[in-house]
């Protein structure tokens, strides 16, 4: 394994949220030979970060070494500083506050736990009127049956996800990063191996991209290229958009996050069906083990539409029956402990993995770029290094139907193999 210098050849497999953040951070640190490969133009239509908005929670200005949640808080701290002050990221963050709520009995205790742990001022919401009063008159007109929540007025909000992803890519390119994309030039078919190491990747056109360091950050598709020893479970959620009128866009601007305000570009409102997630379970033909395999689809199951509309009827019934203008399946990858996996591989020393967003990957976008660059530079903090380490021992006898402390729906991980009806855009179901 060669020593890394700023002239070393760096290859990044995956140009999504993390790939763009990593490329930007390495370029800012002076690395001069960086190539990003992705099968799609950036932002890719299948990238989780190619989205209207993502929730952002801010970290504390300082983090105590004695904090039992040090790693989580440290990543929040680094990300918050970037979302507020970095010229690439700051214009996309909107500090509006947000509402965390639950209506199912088995999830209401999560509201209490959040309220007791949150260091910012929060307001308890237990009645329909208390929820309705968090927003201007005429927006939250629903009955909020059995809802309990907390309103965090400061220290949280949302980011225009697609904008941040595009801005990171643009700035990285300005600093000299090469982006090779498309089903021929950017589509990685396999990693390249020497007798002892990984030395790059080969794309669909047959070209071999050799590198001193290869960074694998292809999201939920990463385990299609490398054996993660069951540390990654591709898990999906469903999202849909509703077209809003110009009057509604003006009224809904600047709202706290219960859903996000309509996006400025197209005036669409995003909503999701909250639940422990979908997997696409199949048997691995080589090992016989069950695995989840991601796929792209611009439709959602009818079950998801019904649940999403139920949410609207309980909160904003005036738009609950409006047709969807867009919908898709959105994939992430869960580690067994929902902690990131960012490490130099113990066997293949020239391979760095950056995977396992586990539902928090976009919020930590800036800090992930820093963490990966720190791994490359050999200076990552010891506590981050330990938490993000290669850890297949945590996946031994892994329960692939573990909800991982997520709630909603019927409280189980759903299986795409069992879906029989899909909602098509522009059609009611």
């Amino acid at each position: 394994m060669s020593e890394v210098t700023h002239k070393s050849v760096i290859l990044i497999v995956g140009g999504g949220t993390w790939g763009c953040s990593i490329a930007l951070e390495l370029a800012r640190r002076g690395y001069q030979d960086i190539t990003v490969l992705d099968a799609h133009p950036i932002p890719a239509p299948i990238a989780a970060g190619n989205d209207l908005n993502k929730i952002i929670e801010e970290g504390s200005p300082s983090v105590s070494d004695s904090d039992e949640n040090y790693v989580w808080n440290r990543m929040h701290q680094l990300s918050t500083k970037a979302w507020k002050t970095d010229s690439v990221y700051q214009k996309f963050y909107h500090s509006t506050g947000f509402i965390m709520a639950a209506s199912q009995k088995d999830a209401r205790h999560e509201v209490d736990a959040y309220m007791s742990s949150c260091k910012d001022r929060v307001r308890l919401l237990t009645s329909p009127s208390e929820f309705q009063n968090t927003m201007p008159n005429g927006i939250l007109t629903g009955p909020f049956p059995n809802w309990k929540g907390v309103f965090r007025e400061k220290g949280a909000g949302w980011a225009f996800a697609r904008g941040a992803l595009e801005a990171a890519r643009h700035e990285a390119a300005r600093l000299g990063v090469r982006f090779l994309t498309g089903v021929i030039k950017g589509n990685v078919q396999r990693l390249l191996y020497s007798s002892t190491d990984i030395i790059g990747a080969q794309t669909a056109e047959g070209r071999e991209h050799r590198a001193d360091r290869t960074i694998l950050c292809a999201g939920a598709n990463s385990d299609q290229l490398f054996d993660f020893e069951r540390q990654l479970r591709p898990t999906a959620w469903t999202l849909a958009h509703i077209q809003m009128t110009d009057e509604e866009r003006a009224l809904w601007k600047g709202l706290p996050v219960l859903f996000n305000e309509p996006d400025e570009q197209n005036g669409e409102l995003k909503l999701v069906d909250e639940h422990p997630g979908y997997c696409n379970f199949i048997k691995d033909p080589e090992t016989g083990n069950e695995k989840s395999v991601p796929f792209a689809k611009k439709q959602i199951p009818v079950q998801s539409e019904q649940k999403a509309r139920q949410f609207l009827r309980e909160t904003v019934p005036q738009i609950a029956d409006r047709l969807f203008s867009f919908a898709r399946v959105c994939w992430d990858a869960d580690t067994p402990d929902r902690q990131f996996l960012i490490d130099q591989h113990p066997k293949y020393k020239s391979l760095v993995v950056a995977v396992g967003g586990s539902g928090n990957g976009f919020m930590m976008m800036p800090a992930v770029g820093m963490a990966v660059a720190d791994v490359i530079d050999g200076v990552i903090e010891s506590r981050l290094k330990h938490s993000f380490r290669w850890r297949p021992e945590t996946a031994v006898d892994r329960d692939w139907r573990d909800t991982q402390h997520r709630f909603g729906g019927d409280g189980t991980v759903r299986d795409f193999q069992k879906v029989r009806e899909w909602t098509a855009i522009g059609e009611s179901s």
Side-chain angles (χ1 to χ4, degrees):
M1 181 185 69
S2 60
E3 292 297 320
V4 175
T5 71
H6 283 174
K7 293 185 178 180
S8 295
V9 179
I10 307 294
L11 184 66
I12 300 175
V13 178
T17 301
W18 285 15
C20 288
S21 173
I22 294 164
L24 173 61
E25 184 63 25
L26 288 173
R28 283 175 162 178
R29 294 191 187 191
Y31 285 89
Q32 301 165 24
D33 195 342
I34 305 168
T35 300
V36 178
L37 300 175
D38 198 286
H40 301 274
I42 298 171
I46 64 170
N50 186 1
D51 199 356
L52 297 185
N53 38 56
K54 300 289 188 184
I55 292 174
I56 304 293
E57 290 189 72
E58 298 177 14
S60 301
S62 60
V63 179
S64 168
D65 288 342
S66 61
D67 191 333
E68 62 179 352
N69 295 314
Y70 175 88
V71 170
W72 181 249
N73 289 333
R74 177 61 174 153
M75 293 294 282
H76 265 302
Q77 179 192 46
L78 293 170
S79 294
T80 297
K81 183 177 180 181
W83 287 118
K84 287 189 166 184
T85 66
D86 190 295
S87 60
V88 169
Y89 297 110
Q90 66 178 148
K91 57 189 171 185
F92 302 106
Y93 174 50
H94 305 263
S95 182
T96 59
F98 89 132
I99 296 168
M100 176 187 177
S103 59
Q104 294 181 336
K105 185 177 181 180
D106 63 348
R108 288 165 66 91
H109 70 279
E110 293 293 310
V111 174
D112 297 327
Y114 186 86
M115 188 169 185
S116 63
S117 65
C118 186
K119 295 179 181 179
D120 292 299
R121 185 169 69 90
V122 294
R123 188 197 320 167
L124 181 64
L125 308 172
T126 58
S127 69
S129 62
E130 288 174 331
F131 278 98
Q132 293 161 1
N133 290 337
T134 63
M135 298 187 191
N137 289 336
I139 294 181
L140 299 181
T141 61
F144 291 86
N146 300 313
W147 278 54
K148 180 179 183 179
V150 289
F151 181 19
R152 181 176 176 178
E153 299 182 52
K154 295 183 178 180
W158 62 277
F160 174 31
R162 184 186 307 119
L165 199 165
E166 289 177 329
R169 182 203 61 79
H170 178 78
E171 179 63 10
R174 190 188 70 82
L175 294 174
V177 175
R178 292 179 298 277
F179 288 85
L180 299 180
T181 64
V183 295
I184 302 299
K185 290 187 175 181
N187 188 2
V188 173
Q189 299 295 292
R190 66 185 185 94
L191 300 181
L192 298 175
Y193 291 78
S194 69
S195 59
T196 59
D197 210 345
I198 284 176
I199 56 174
Q202 180 178 317
T203 54
E205 65 178 340
R207 180 179 174 184
E208 293 186 352
H209 296 265
R210 294 178 177 258
D212 298 305
R213 290 292 184 276
T214 300
I215 303 169
L216 178 55
C217 54
N221 289 297
S222 296
D223 70 347
Q224 305 297 305
L225 294 170
F226 188 74
D227 181 9
F228 280 87
E229 302 181 58
R230 296 178 67 79
Q231 292 178 85
L232 295 186
R233 183 189 73 181
T235 311
W237 286 267
T238 55
L239 63 87
H241 298 173
I242 288 177
Q243 185 66 52
M244 307 294 279
T245 66
D246 290 343
E247 293 77 13
E248 288 168 336
R249 292 170 67 178
L251 180 62
W252 290 47
K253 190 173 179 60
L255 299 182
V257 178
L258 178 60
F259 26 64
N260 295 111
E261 68 182 62
D263 78 293
E264 295 180 358
Q265 292 181 333
N266 300 313
E268 293 179 322
L269 181 74
K270 169 187 159 187
L271 60 146
V272 299
D273 171 24
E274 196 67 38
H275 52 77
Y278 279 98
C279 287
N280 183 37
F281 290 121
I282 66 168
K283 277 200 172 182
D284 188 319
E286 294 183 5
T287 66
N289 291 329
E290 186 175 60
K291 63 185 297 186
S292 177
V293 179
F295 61 90
K297 198 172 184 71
K298 289 186 177 179
Q299 292 176 296
I300 61 175
V302 168
Q303 178 188 25
S304 293
E305 177 184 11
Q306 292 170 341
K307 291 296 184 181
R309 292 195 185 282
Q310 178 183 338
F311 165 78
L312 292 176
R313 291 187 181 99
E314 293 180 0
T315 56
V316 284
Q318 65 270 26
I319 64 170
D321 295 318
R322 200 170 294 181
L323 294 181
F324 291 158
S325 55
F326 176 82
R328 75 169 171 125
V329 173
C330 183
W331 289 92
D332 199 354
D334 288 326
T335 59
D337 53 10
R338 291 186 64 186
Q339 187 59 273
F340 299 155
L341 177 52
I342 300 173
D343 198 7
Q344 180 183 47
H345 193 273
K347 178 180 178 181
Y348 302 108
K349 301 295 185 180
S350 295
L351 175 67
V352 173
V353 296
V355 293
S358 302
N360 298 301
F362 185 89
M363 178 163 46
M364 303 295 188
M365 176 184 181
V368 166
M370 298 174 203
V372 174
D374 284 348
V375 168
I376 297 289
D377 288 340
V379 296
I380 188 169
E381 292 183 34
S382 59
R383 291 171 75 171
L384 300 187
K385 180 179 176 63
H386 176 76
S387 290
F388 299 163
R389 72 192 185 283
W390 180 263
R391 49 192 191 282
E393 69 278 3
T394 64
V396 175
D397 298 323
R398 182 176 185 181
D399 177 7
W400 280 58
R401 286 171 171 75
D402 180 12
T403 61
Q404 298 201 287
H405 303 290
R406 295 185 175 109
F407 299 90
D410 61 1
T412 64
V413 173
R414 301 170 181 174
D415 186 354
F416 278 126
Q417 293 289 325
K418 297 179 179 179
V419 174
R420 297 293 175 261
E421 292 184 89
W422 293 81
T423 295
I425 303 306
E427 299 178 9
S428 57
S429 59

